[in-house]
Amino acid sequence: MMKQPILFLSILFLTGISLLASCSKDNNLEHYTYYKPVFKSKAEVRANIKSGPVRNVVEAGKIFIRDNYLFLVDVNRGVHVVDVTNVDQPRKVAFILIPGCADIAVRGNFLYADCDKDLVTIDISNPTSASLKKVIPNIFPEKFYYNYYNGYSADTTKMVADWIRVDTAYVKNINPQPNVLYAASSPSNAATTTNGTGGSMSRFGLLNDRMYAVSNYDLKVFNMADASNPVFVKNTILNQGSIETIFPYGNNLFIGSQSGMFIYDTANPDNPVKLSQFTHARSCDPVIADNNTAYVTLHAGTTCGGYSNQLDVLDITSLTNPVFIKTYALTSPRGLSKDKNLLLICDGTAGLKIFDAANASDIWLIKQLPNMDAQDVITYKGTAIVTTTKGLYFVDYRDPVNAKVTGVIPVSK
């Protein structure tokens, strides 16, 4: 049994907790919900990395698509497998339990994910019967494990295997007597080697037979020639710092950071070389590229700092000398995607925006779909698959003027 301080610190720490504000009052009770960590040994965790029954989405994260399957990260919990054969009627078909998961990539019949500090390779030749194939342990030491808090070092043989919802009620301290905290209810029930496509907010990027993974300050290279057996090649420290995203395009890597966009050449795939950079005001910064143009969204916030909320468009005809074209004002942009002349931008609480980007100097809004806190987007057969704080939205944009939501997989805490 875990010691009491572990549970106490885990509940307090923000990385591992989902604490909801009070939503009702009854007889001087205030009701709250939080998620309590379930600890298991690493061996137990790895034994349970496999497909299981579908689950509710708690926190929609990164997305990756290959063929007719969409893979949606449920932050720190695992990956939902969604069949999009009929994109107008998406359906969850399985849930792969991967504790500590934030990023994924898919190559051929294999899914790669971070499992706390490990990289796991999962056979998804049958996504409803996925199984663990390989583990590269402690390859992501930079991932902050939440139990290292207030001077307390967690038991390194254990990790969080799952989260249990707990509903609690707090007795208001109306009279001068001690407060009481107690549980108000029980926990809820809780092939080929082609590369898939990820969203623009990803930290994992596939380019030919390599996978590149960025952290706040480094770039890791993995040889994926044998998709079932990824091999770690090298780690390069990036002097830029505050790295957030990676977007492979052509033979290059477009890396977004809070201070700018950086372009790396992969002529030698195991030794990417910096070609150039475009520096901007401090903001969060996903980036995509298409033909000779790069699109960089900047958004401000408590994490990113700065005050910029905009789209910067760059001419990258010369990769060694990106040239600024124009800035477009936005509300709070995040991820983005391009489909021919259409540019789709997740503009936070302003929703999904679809632009005509045929002329980089004169990008104009075609359609805005509000009422969704849009975070990232992948375009797939005329459908925009959008992650939001409310869940996964499917938007038919084949007629962009009349683009509409055709399906939703909601968040259900």
Side-chain angles (χ1 to χ4, degrees):
M1 180 178 294
M2 297 302 296
K3 295 181 180 179
Q4 188 67 19
I6 296 179
L7 175 59
F8 177 73
L9 292 174
S10 302
I11 293 173
L12 289 180
F13 198 65
L14 294 178
T15 302
I17 196 83
S18 296
L19 181 61
L20 306 180
S22 172
C23 57
S24 66
K25 296 181 181 180
D26 181 27
N27 297 327
N28 299 325
L29 296 182
E30 292 187 353
H31 297 269
Y32 297 88
T33 295
Y34 68 88
Y35 284 84
K36 182 176 70 174
V38 177
F39 292 88
K40 291 184 179 180
S41 70
K42 289 187 176 181
E44 289 178 289
V45 167
R46 292 170 183 171
N48 284 293
I49 296 179
K50 56 187 176 183
S51 293
V54 298
R55 291 189 179 188
N56 291 336
V57 178
V58 177
E59 183 178 354
K62 308 294 177 67
I63 45 177
F64 226 90
I65 194 166
R66 182 180 177 276
D67 296 336
N68 294 322
Y69 287 101
L70 175 77
F71 301 88
L72 168 68
V73 171
D74 204 325
V75 180
N76 287 327
R77 293 171 174 83
V79 175
H80 300 274
V81 182
V82 183
D83 186 335
V84 290
T85 302
N86 181 351
V87 75
D88 291 331
Q89 295 181 333
R91 61 187 184 93
K92 293 181 292 182
V93 295
F95 180 79
I96 306 173
L97 186 66
I98 312 174
C101 177
D103 274 277
I104 56 173
V106 179
R107 174 171 165 77
N109 290 324
F110 296 91
L111 179 144
Y112 314 100
D114 54 342
C115 177
D116 191 32
K117 297 178 181 178
D118 303 339
L119 177 70
V120 295
T121 299
I122 299 169
D123 185 339
I124 53 168
S125 51
N126 178 356
T128 61
S129 184
S131 59
L132 181 64
K133 183 72 174 180
K134 180 178 180 179
V135 177
I136 301 180
N138 300 315
I139 197 65
F140 303 116
E142 65 277 359
K143 288 191 68 175
F144 181 73
Y145 191 44
Y146 64 86
N147 271 328
Y148 287 94
Y149 178 69
N150 227 15
Y152 176 79
S153 177
D155 182 349
T156 58
T157 66
K158 295 182 180 293
M159 61 180 292
V160 176
D162 206 346
W163 298 88
I164 296 177
R165 172 174 169 153
V166 178
D167 297 314
T168 67
Y170 177 78
V171 179
K172 294 177 64 178
N173 187 17
I174 299 175
N175 301 315
Q177 57 187 4
N179 294 331
V180 179
L181 183 67
Y182 62 92
S185 65
S186 301
S188 65
N189 295 329
T192 60
T193 54
T194 55
N195 295 329
T197 301
S200 63
M201 303 292 285
S202 181
R203 287 181 177 267
F204 288 2
L206 292 167
L207 185 58
N208 300 320
D209 59 2
R210 295 294 187 275
M211 185 174 82
Y212 301 94
V214 293
S215 74
N216 182 59
Y217 56 84
D218 69 6
L219 172 66
K220 294 179 175 67
V221 182
F222 298 86
N223 186 324
M224 319 294 278
D226 178 354
S228 69
N229 184 34
V231 176
F232 175 63
V233 177
K234 67 176 296 186
N235 182 49
T236 300
I237 300 299
L238 302 180
N239 295 324
Q240 292 80 15
S242 299
I243 301 297
E244 295 182 322
T245 63
I246 186 168
F247 183 83
Y249 183 74
N251 290 315
N252 303 288
L253 304 174
F254 291 80
I255 295 175
S257 81
Q258 291 184 13
S259 60
M261 175 196 75
F262 305 93
I263 304 176
Y264 279 74
D265 175 70
T266 63
N268 179 345
D270 292 335
N271 188 36
V273 176
K274 181 181 173 183
L275 294 178
S276 60
Q277 71 182 66
F278 169 75
T279 303
H280 54 63
R282 184 172 180 83
S283 292
C284 289
D285 172 15
V287 54
I288 64 171
D290 183 39
N291 295 322
N292 293 321
T293 309
Y295 304 87
V296 184
T297 58
L298 313 180
H299 78 268
T302 55
T303 301
C304 308
Y307 301 95
S308 301
N309 287 291
Q310 64 196 47
L311 168 71
D312 283 350
V313 184
L314 311 175
D315 184 336
I316 54 171
T317 302
S318 171
L319 292 171
T320 58
N321 184 34
V323 177
F324 173 75
I325 297 176
K326 191 173 181 178
T327 289
Y328 298 86
L330 291 167
T331 301
S332 183
R334 267 76 172 175
L336 64 169
S337 185
K338 189 95 179 331
D339 184 359
K340 298 178 181 176
N341 289 332
L342 296 179
L343 177 66
L344 294 84
I345 297 179
C346 295
D347 201 9
T349 54
L352 178 70
K353 294 181 177 179
I354 304 174
F355 296 86
D356 185 317
N359 182 352
S361 299
D362 185 25
I363 295 175
W364 53 278
L365 181 65
I366 299 174
K367 179 75 173 181
Q368 178 178 356
L369 289 92
N371 303 319
M372 65 173 83
D373 188 3
Q375 302 296 307
D376 203 5
V377 57
I378 290 178
T379 54
Y380 174 73
K381 297 181 180 180
T383 295
I385 302 173
V386 187
T387 56
T388 79
T389 54
K390 296 180 180 179
L392 196 64
Y393 281 64
F394 294 78
V395 177
D396 183 342
Y397 66 88
R398 288 172 295 181
D399 177 7
V401 174
N402 296 305
K404 61 183 179 180
V405 176
T406 58
V408 179
I409 296 178
V411 161
S412 180
K413 296 180 181 295

